[in-house]
Amino acid sequence: MSTRSILKAGNTPALFDDFFRPWNEWFDTGGLAGRMLTVPAVNITDNTNDFTVSLAVPGMNKEDFKILIDGQLLTIECQKEHTAEENDARYTRKEYNYACFSRSFTLPEEVNKEQIDARYQDGVLNLRLPKKDEARQLAPGKQIDVK
């Protein structure tokens, strides 16, 4: 799996760095845009009876997630929008925040798709992908010695 990130192109001479610094802080990968364009970290564990998939997605609600299975493709999508507005006699301020991501994984054949379970707690989305009975009965892996 790969994660793409947007990097600032170095097309301005160093002479102009100080002049453009306030704007560059908003648009380089360490600034505001870099935080908005992140994909959540994922841990996948292969256990004896199941696979577990854990995504670090703090600040979301369980209603923000959409988990789909299409054939052997598992897709996890999340979308959250927040708006706030302040009115005063001299100004109006309206702010909004929009966050979304989508991650897709190819499921192994041994996953029992009918019994997949998802839980969101303490900023972590956990999916349990149980293995089919016949996959559990297979002998454990064999280690090959290097000669």
Side-chain angles (χ1 to χ4, degrees), residues 5-141:
S5 63
I6 299 174
L7 300 175
K8 180 182 128 186
N11 57 0
T12 57
L15 173 67
F16 295 109
D17 283 351
D18 288 335
F19 179 75
F20 290 115
R21 185 177 316 259
W23 293 278
N24 289 341
E25 288 173 0
W26 284 88
F27 295 109
D28 68 1
T29 57
L32 181 64
R35 278 176 265 162
M36 281 196 259
L37 298 173
T38 58
V39 176
V42 176
N43 291 324
I44 300 173
T45 308
D46 183 358
N47 304 308
T48 304
N49 296 324
D50 60 19
F51 294 96
T52 56
V53 178
S54 301
L55 286 89
V57 283
M60 301 295 175
N61 298 314
K62 65 181 182 178
E63 296 82 19
D64 298 331
F65 296 100
K66 187 175 178 182
I67 301 171
L68 307 166
I69 297 176
D70 185 12
Q72 292 302 112
L73 190 66
L74 170 73
T75 301
I76 302 167
E77 298 177 349
C78 185
Q79 184 172 342
K80 184 169 186 154
E81 185 174 354
H82 173 74
T83 60
E85 185 172 344
E86 286 183 29
N87 289 317
D88 192 350
R90 299 181 333 180
Y91 69 91
T92 298
R93 181 178 86 173
K94 186 173 185 177
E95 295 182 1
Y96 64 92
N97 184 12
Y98 182 78
C100 70
F101 73 87
S102 178
R103 296 286 308 256
S104 294
F105 305 93
T106 302
L107 294 174
E109 290 292 330
E110 65 257 24
V111 169
N112 185 344
K113 294 184 268 188
E114 302 301 320
Q115 294 182 355
I116 293 176
D117 180 44
R119 298 181 189 274
Y120 180 69
Q121 185 178 5
D122 298 330
V124 178
L125 177 66
N126 288 302
L127 278 80
R128 185 179 155 277
L129 305 131
K131 294 180 182 178
K132 295 176 183 173
D133 290 335
E134 57 270 12
R136 291 183 206 166
Q137 295 170 0
L138 295 177

